[in-house]
Amino acid sequence: MAPLLDHKIGDAMLSSLPLRSKSNLLTCSLILVIYLTSQPALAKPSSLKEITDGNWEEILAGEWMIEFFAPWCPACQQLQPVWNDFADWGEDMGVNIAKVDVTEQPGLSGRFIITSLPTIYHCKDGVFRRYQGARTKDDFLSFIDEKKWQGIEPVSSWFGPSSFMMNTMSALFKLSMFIRRCHNYLTEQLGIPVWGSYVIFGLATLFSGLALGLILVFIADFVFPSRRFNSPNYYQKKQTMEQARLIQQLEEEQEADGEEDDDEDDEDGEQEDVWRRRASPEGHPEARGPGYPEEALRKRVVGNREDEEEDS
């Protein structure tokens, strides 16, 4: 009875309104209906998270499934709808589903050593395992629900994304991407030939290597100075050794001069013997008396030579 009574009361009130008011009420109702029907349904917020160089450390806590992809990769494009559907189940299963665009995040590509696309990693409290199963939603769900990841050997701590080695790899990948962008800027924006860009990078590498080498040498000398230069008696010992070397050199020179004098004396003695033999009529050396002058002996030898020449 009550609904029927309310309906009659509403009809009575509506019939009591003037015709213009009825027209305005109908117009407003029609506009309201059109507005409500034209509004799109509120989309469900996506459960798929995006990992970057700035927030990648979030994956070290909790359970994660992470896909590394590239927009130009056909296999990644084929997997993307499946991965989005899998992400809708992440909240119900208590696992975070994420993706990484390696073209925009080269540092993460080097940190996780991405060599093929797409690559999927499972992470549980900072322990990483590489997923190598089938790539369907049911396989992903069973992998998490049945904890199949426990049968996969985790990545070694040496190659973990937070290790020193992987930090270095990340820096190298970032540097390579920076160099590539610089090369594109030089060739496309400034119009420099490709070979000119290579020359610029070669010279920059050469000078940076020289500067780095000098810095390392200075640091090594400062941190690990040579002990001999720090010794208080180093310069005194050096001076003593220098004096000993000079004395030895002088002694060697004096010995050499003494040997030359001995050789000259021997030559003079041999020459004198020759003169004596030639001055002797029998060809034997003639004894020199104490009063026999050496100059007379030489003149006699010269005279014998002239006589032999005249006879011949």
Side-chain angles (χ1 to χ4, degrees):
M1 293 292 293
L4 181 61
L5 183 60
D6 292 339
H7 180 68
K8 290 181 178 180
I9 294 174
D11 291 342
M13 293 178 63
L14 183 63
S15 60
S16 64
L17 292 174
L19 181 61
R20 186 174 180 181
S21 298
K22 292 180 179 179
S23 177
N24 293 336
L25 182 60
L26 291 174
T27 302
C28 292
S29 300
L30 182 62
I31 292 173
L32 180 62
V33 170
I34 294 173
Y35 174 77
L36 293 176
T37 56
S38 64
Q39 290 297 315
L42 294 176
K44 180 181 178 180
S46 177
S47 301
L48 187 61
K49 299 179 175 60
E50 187 171 356
I51 303 300
T52 64
D53 281 321
N55 64 354
W56 75 269
E57 292 183 350
E58 294 179 2
I59 65 178
L60 299 178
E63 188 173 5
W64 293 76
M65 286 286 284
I66 311 156
E67 175 205 9
F68 292 83
F69 75 100
W72 49 263
C73 172
C76 301
Q77 296 172 2
Q78 185 178 0
L79 177 63
Q80 202 60 42
V82 178
W83 195 255
N84 291 334
D85 293 340
F86 174 53
D88 294 335
W89 289 78
E91 185 176 355
D92 297 333
M93 301 187 69
V95 61
N96 300 289
I97 314 300
K99 64 179 181 178
V100 178
D101 186 354
V102 296
T103 61
E104 297 293 334
Q105 310 297 330
L108 292 179
S109 177
R111 190 179 294 276
F112 286 87
I113 316 179
I114 304 302
T115 58
S116 61
L117 294 173
T119 297
I120 299 173
Y121 272 97
H122 173 269
C123 178
K124 177 68 173 177
D125 297 329
V127 180
F128 291 84
R129 294 173 173 87
R130 188 165 183 171
Y131 177 82
Q132 296 180 343
R135 297 171 182 174
T136 64
K137 184 178 73 173
D138 294 337
D139 291 314
F140 292 146
L141 292 175
S142 64
F143 181 79
I144 298 298
D145 187 40
E146 300 175 10
K147 297 183 178 181
K148 294 181 179 179
W149 48 268
Q150 293 180 347
I152 302 176
E153 184 179 357
V155 177
S156 173
S157 59
W158 287 95
F159 298 98
S162 57
S163 65
F164 174 77
M165 185 181 298
M166 293 301 100
N167 286 328
T168 305
M169 289 293 295
S170 176
L172 290 176
F173 271 69
K174 290 180 181 179
L175 178 62
S176 65
M177 185 59 65
F178 173 75
I179 292 175
R180 181 179 179 182
R181 291 174 180 173
C182 292
H183 173 73
N184 293 335
Y185 176 78
L186 292 175
T187 55
E188 296 176 3
Q189 300 294 329
L190 301 182
I192 298 176
V194 176
W195 62 267
S197 177
Y198 290 157
V199 171
I200 292 174
F201 281 113
L203 293 176
T205 303
L206 178 62
F207 286 111
S208 61
L210 291 174
L212 181 61
L214 289 175
I215 292 173
L216 291 177
V217 169
F218 290 149
I219 293 175
D221 289 341
F222 179 77
V223 177
F224 305 104
S226 179
R227 293 182 178 179
R228 63 176 186 176
F229 292 108
N230 290 337
S231 177
N233 298 327
Y234 169 73
Y235 293 101
Q236 183 178 358
K237 292 180 179 179
K238 183 178 180 181
Q239 186 177 4
T240 304
M241 293 176 62
E242 185 68 21
Q243 292 176 354
R245 188 181 64 81
L246 293 175
I247 293 173
Q248 184 178 2
Q249 184 177 359
L250 291 174
E251 290 178 352
E252 291 177 355
E253 291 178 356
Q254 291 177 357
E255 290 179 359
D257 293 340
E259 291 177 358
E260 291 180 358
D261 294 338
D262 294 339
D263 293 339
E264 291 179 358
D265 294 339
D266 294 339
E267 291 178 358
D268 293 339
E270 292 177 359
Q271 186 69 25
E272 186 176 350
D273 293 338
V274 171
W275 288 341
R276 290 176 180 177
R277 291 192 185 96
R278 290 184 178 179
S280 176
E282 291 84 6
H284 297 288
E286 184 175 318
R288 285 176 52 188
Y292 195 84
E294 185 177 355
E295 186 66 24
L297 179 60
R298 291 182 180 178
K299 289 181 179 181
R300 184 174 178 180
V301 172
V302 174
N304 292 335
R305 287 183 181 178
E306 291 178 355
D307 294 336
E308 290 177 359
E309 291 177 359
E310 289 177 359
D311 294 338
S312 61

